[in-house]
Structures are given as C-alpha cells and as structure tokens.
Amino acid sequence: MKKFFNEFLRGIAKENPTFVLVLGLCPTLAVSVSVINGIGMGIAATFVLLGSNIIVAVIKNSIPQRIRIPCYIVVIATFVTVTEMLMKAYSPALDRSLGIYVPLIVVNCMVLGRAEAYASKNTVMNSFFDGLGMGVGFTLALILISGIREALGAGTILGHRLFASFEPAFILGMPSGALLVIGLLLGFFNVLKGRKA
Amino acid sequence: MKDKLSVGTSPHLHKDESVSRIMWLVVLSLAPAGIAGVLIFGLSALRVIILGVVSAVFSEGIIQLLTKKRITVLDGSAFLTGLLLAYNLPAHVPFWLPIVGSLFAVAIGKQVFGGLGQNIFNPALVGRVFLMASWPKYMTSFTRPMNYDAITCATPLAALKEGRAFENLSSWDLFLGLRGGCIGEVCILALLLGALFLFYKKYISWHIPLTYIATVGLFTYIFGQQGLFSGDWLLHVLTGGLILGAFFMATDYVTSPLTYKGQVIFGIGCGLLTAIIRLWGGYPEGVSYAILMMNAAAPIIDRFTKNRVYGKR
C-alpha cells in the first residue's frame, strides 16, 4: 500500500506535471483565468488520465509496438469524448467557459506522456495511482495559478470580491499574464528545490 | 627610481569612465526633460518622478538583499530605470502606479535575468508596457499642458488615430512640448539638449537615434493619409515618445547591438515597427513596443554583424 501511496505522491510534488515536467501547458495557459475553470479542467484531465492510464496498462501487451501511439490516442480520445459529453450534460456553464480546451485534452502531452512513459511499462494498479497523482498534481497547480491570476487580475476568488478597493491588473487575465505567473512559480519552485538539494 | 616604475599587465591605458559614472551622467542629461515636464504639467509630474525613482532604487536594494547579491543601488542604473519609467507615464496617475511599475521593471525586467548587463529587454519599457497592459485607463488619460487642474486631453497621435484633427498645435508648440503626453517625452527641446550632451561625451553614437528617427519620418511621409508622399512627417517625429525613445531608450548599451552596422539595422527596425504601429496598429503610439521587439532581435543582429576577426576569413 505504501508503494501505491508513493506513486500517488510523486505526481503531486516530485514530478508535478506543471512545475517539474512542464507538460500540458496549453490548457494551463488557456483556462487558468479563474479558479472555477482551473478546478473544472483539473478534474476533467484527472478523469482522462485515470481512464487512459488504466486502459493502456491493460492492453499494453496486446498492441503492436509500431502503432502504439495511435492506439493511445484512440483510448484517450474515447475518455475525452466521455468527459465532454458528461460536462455538456451536467455542467453546461463550465463547458461553455472551458470551450475548445476540453476536446483538446486529447492532444495534452501530459496524458499521452504518462501513457507512453509510465502506463505502457507498469502494472494496472501502479498506473492507476500514477494517473491519480498526476491528475491531482495538475489540478493543484491549476488552482494555484488560477488563484493568483483571478485574485490579481480580477480581484476575486471563485467569484467573491476580495478587496473593497482594488484595481485589478488586466494583464493577468491575458495569456501573457499566465506565462508570467507560470514562469515566476517555476522559478520559485526551482529555488526551493535547489535549497533542499 | 624603483618605486616610480610599476609593473602590470595590459591594458595600460585606462579611461576615466565607469558604468556608474555613465549612468549618473545619463541621468543628468535627462534632467532638462524632467524639469520641462514639471513646468508643463505641474507638481504632480514631480511626484510621479520621485515615486518612480525611489521605488526603483528600493526594489533593486531589496531584491539584491533577498538574493544575497552585492548591493549596487548607488550605481545609478536603478535610478535611471525609475526615471525613464516615470518619464513614460502621464502626469496625473494614481500614486501606486509608478511604484508598481518600478517594482515590475526592476524585478521582472532586470533582476530576474541576473541584474545589470544581463537583461534582454529595456527594464523601463518592460515596466511601461506592463502598466499599459494592466491599467490602460490611467496610462492613456493625459493632462492638458500648462493647466495644472488635471483636465485631460488627447495626445496628438491619439487624435490622429481617431481621425480627428487635433487642436491647433504648431510644430513650434510640439517642439517646446505644449501638448498632452507623458511627462518626459513632450519637450523635444530639452530632450535634444540632453542628447547633445550625450553625443558630446560620446556615450551614444548617431547610428541608432538618427536611423530610427529618419525611418519613422520617411515611412510616415510616404504613407500619408492623402495618398503616397503626403504624410505629415514632422508631426510624427515631434509627437509621441519617439525622441525620448530614440536617444535615451533604444541606445541602452545592454539591449542594443554592439557593432555600428548592427545598430543601423536596429534603428531602422525600430523605425519601421514604430511607423507601422502608428499608422495601422491598434495603439496610437508604438515606440515602446518597437524598441522592445527590436531588443528581442538584438542578439540575432549581433550574430550576423560580427566584426571580422583580423586575419580570419
């Protein structure tokens, strides 16, 4: 059990997909305008990661080596379609605000990266916890980035006003603001890591 | 006799110059423009300048303290960054705007890259563009000149962009700076005085400023509003931040090319981008964006304009 727990924790801290592996930046840049979008995208990506990791780990021995990437993509696309339909049915508002970025999870390098680098070489249980850890790590990173961007770029958190009089900096609501925040956080975490080492 | 002969390694000829001496003299050369700005826009302009400078120096000191680097706040570079940033702001901005801008300019524009000499982009312009993107409302409401009541008016370039004829300003008014605009950019006379001083001290060469201004003039003359070769080039040269940018910001040693050939390319590039943004872009003024874009191109220009090493083919 401890082994699985370690697999899970690795995705959150030591191999955080956003801040250490720097994978899946496209949705991170695009949807981290508000915390609610960040949470929605994080949950959607976690679900897809879990599904694709499990299926890839199950079928890894029965798919030919040469066409494994297309096979992974088909698996991932299936789960993304499921996610998108669920989101459209149960949370149309979130679906509208995430827009094209939900279908784009198909080409998210984080999902494909875990399928190729981990699930295709490990057992189903390990892959499940790896996917869960990566997904949670991705979600936490998104919440952190979108929290900073929403607080400073719009003056709100989850739609609640934070300060009585505060003039939000528009730049943080724009893609350039996302790059700034991600860059600074990456630098910050690298400094922390350097201190520890 | 023996102690009069000193043995040392080359170079033996030293110039009585240093980075901080140059920085402080550039600050001095910018003083006339600042005085003119305060005379034109009133004491609130002075407040913006002081806030910008003080917060830039403090930000630099605090960051160097936190990162345990040598504290070099007195070398004048942070002072110059804050001063140039303040010169690029309208006179009646809220008090926190120059503070946030200076902090951003020094922290993100300079210290993140490793401090003086390492930055890719001109820090003052990084600060200005950040403020422009974050709080455009304050960055584009300009004060009427010689009227200290914070009555706003459009800059000539903004009026031109909207297709309005601006209030009757003669070229002489523009030369003296009697127009709406940023604190340090309006008085061309004072800026030219400072630039002359820099030329006299040989701190800047003609290559970047003259090619920059000439390109803007030529381009805006060719693509005038009433067909080809009808543009009001004098207006485009005398308004906006062109003179301030061309003499004091595009010539920044760190962010401009090293060779004269490269500097000419750099100046022409800045001029083309400025003119294109002014004529067809979304913003009325493009000097800061043009210089920043060419800053990004400076390393490539350097690579292609390397001086031939003697004896090497």
Side-chain angles (χ1 to χ4, degrees):
Chain A
M1 199 61 221
K2 185 142 186 286
K3 200 182 70 182
F4 295 140
F5 192 63
N6 282 342
E7 293 292 319
F8 172 70
L9 275 189
R10 209 188 36 176
I12 294 175
K14 217 175 102 201
E15 284 185 28
N16 186 295
T18 307
F19 294 124
V20 181
L21 304 180
V22 200
L23 289 176
L25 280 193
C26 155
T28 312
L29 292 172
V31 305
S32 61
V33 183
S34 65
V35 177
I36 192 74
N37 277 6
I39 295 173
M41 174 51 85
I43 291 171
T46 307
F47 175 74
V48 173
L49 253 172
L50 273 179
S52 75
N53 260 16
I54 292 170
I55 299 294
V56 167
V58 168
I59 63 170
K60 64 176 182 283
N61 293 324
S62 50
I63 48 177
Q65 187 65 23
R66 279 196 186 166
I67 53 157
R68 64 186 192 285
I69 301 286
C71 294
Y72 299 159
I73 294 286
V74 171
V75 172
I76 296 166
T78 312
F79 281 100
V80 170
T81 313
V82 171
T83 315
E84 197 193 356
M85 284 174 167
L86 283 173
M87 203 179 265
K88 274 204 165 64
Y90 292 103
S91 173
L94 186 63
D95 181 67
R96 263 193 302 279
S97 65
L98 290 181
I100 186 69
Y101 294 101
V102 177
L104 276 181
I105 297 176
V106 176
V107 287
N108 190 327
C109 41
M110 179 182 67
V111 182
L112 187 63
R114 290 330 284 177
E116 166 74 7
Y118 195 90
S120 65
K121 295 174 190 130
N122 286 284
T123 61
V124 177
M125 274 314 268
N126 278 347
S127 303
F128 170 80
F129 281 103
D130 177 74
L132 193 64
M134 286 288 158
V136 172
F138 182 62
T139 312
L140 288 177
L142 269 176
I143 291 173
L144 181 62
I145 296 166
S146 58
I148 294 174
R149 285 183 70 191
E150 192 180 339
L152 298 178
T156 59
I157 283 285
L158 287 168
H160 301 291
R161 280 207 75 77
L162 281 180
F163 319 102
S165 67
F166 172 72
E167 311 223 16
F170 289 142
I171 191 170
L172 286 171
M174 297 190 274
S176 46
L179 286 169
L180 265 176
V181 172
I182 292 174
L184 288 176
L185 285 173
L186 260 173
F188 178 70
F189 285 123
N190 276 340
V191 167
L192 282 189
K193 234 174 30 185
R195 287 255 167 90
K196 237 186 266 168
Chain B
M1 186 66 198
K2 203 174 182 188
D3 49 290
K4 280 187 182 164
L5 290 169
S6 66
V7 181
T9 49
S10 63
H12 300 294
L13 287 174
H14 292 280
K15 209 175 176 194
D16 186 25
E17 292 286 12
S18 65
V19 170
S20 66
R21 192 181 140 90
I22 294 176
M23 289 293 171
W24 285 115
L25 285 175
V26 174
V27 168
L28 184 70
S29 74
L30 278 164
I35 295 166
V38 174
L39 287 178
I40 292 166
F41 295 117
L43 281 177
S44 56
L46 187 64
R47 193 187 64 157
V48 171
I49 294 174
I50 291 172
L51 282 171
V53 167
V54 169
S55 48
V57 172
F58 265 89
S59 313
E60 175 129 317
I62 289 167
I63 291 167
Q64 286 176 335
L65 208 65
L66 286 178
T67 53
K68 302 195 179 89
K69 276 194 217 142
R70 204 157 57 87
I71 295 183
T72 57
V73 290
L74 292 178
D75 70 357
S77 66
F79 193 102
L80 184 61
T81 299
L83 190 69
L84 279 174
L85 176 74
Y87 278 15
N88 275 296
L89 300 177
H92 282 88
V93 289
F95 76 94
W96 48 267
L97 204 73
I99 297 176
V100 174
S102 283
L103 177 64
F104 191 87
V106 170
I108 308 291
K110 191 167 140 199
Q111 292 296 340
V112 155
F113 294 101
L116 180 65
Q118 312 281 329
N119 47 305
I120 307 169
F121 300 105
N122 187 318
L125 286 177
V126 170
R128 178 194 146 84
V129 166
F130 171 73
L131 294 180
M132 190 76 188
S134 296
W135 296 280
K137 185 175 76 183
Y138 297 118
M139 294 296 288
T140 50
S141 55
F142 296 102
T143 326
R144 191 177 283 275
M146 307 312 276
N147 187 329
Y148 303 141
D149 303 327
I151 301 170
T152 57
C153 74
T155 63
L157 280 175
L160 200 67
K161 189 106 215 170
E162 290 162 15
R164 291 187 277 126
F166 53 92
E167 311 124 62
N168 305 311
L169 288 173
S170 65
S171 298
W172 189 241
D173 286 337
L174 294 176
F175 187 69
L176 289 178
L178 301 175
R179 64 169 173 92
C182 297
I183 296 168
E185 72 177 23
V186 287
C187 187
I188 308 296
L189 176 67
L191 285 169
L192 287 181
L193 277 178
L196 269 181
F197 175 70
L198 291 184
F199 277 125
Y200 167 71
K201 295 291 283 183
K202 295 205 171 104
Y203 287 166
I204 58 175
S205 67
W206 59 270
H207 298 82
I208 292 176
L210 286 194
T211 49
Y212 188 174
I213 295 167
T215 310
V216 171
L218 189 70
F219 204 81
T220 51
Y221 170 65
I222 293 174
F223 296 97
Q225 278 174 322
Q226 285 92 36
L228 291 181
F229 303 104
S230 68
D232 191 350
W233 61 272
L234 194 61
L235 171 75
H236 275 281
V237 169
L238 290 178
T239 57
L242 179 60
I243 302 292
L244 177 65
F247 284 108
F248 294 96
M249 293 195 285
T251 54
D252 177 19
Y253 292 145
V254 182
T255 54
S256 62
L258 298 166
T259 59
Y260 287 142
K261 208 161 73 181
Q263 290 178 354
V264 168
I265 298 171
F266 185 86
I268 292 173
C270 285
L272 280 178
L273 287 170
T274 303
I276 288 169
I277 294 172
R278 279 189 186 179
L279 293 176
W280 300 299
Y283 286 109
E285 171 62 312
V287 168
S288 42
Y289 301 100
I291 297 177
L292 284 176
M293 278 188 257
M294 289 311 288
N295 282 166
I300 303 171
I301 296 174
D302 268 338
R303 182 179 299 177
F304 286 105
T305 56
K306 238 184 251 172
N307 284 332
R308 202 170 61 91
V309 177
Y310 182 71
K312 196 181 168 191
R313 282 202 183 275

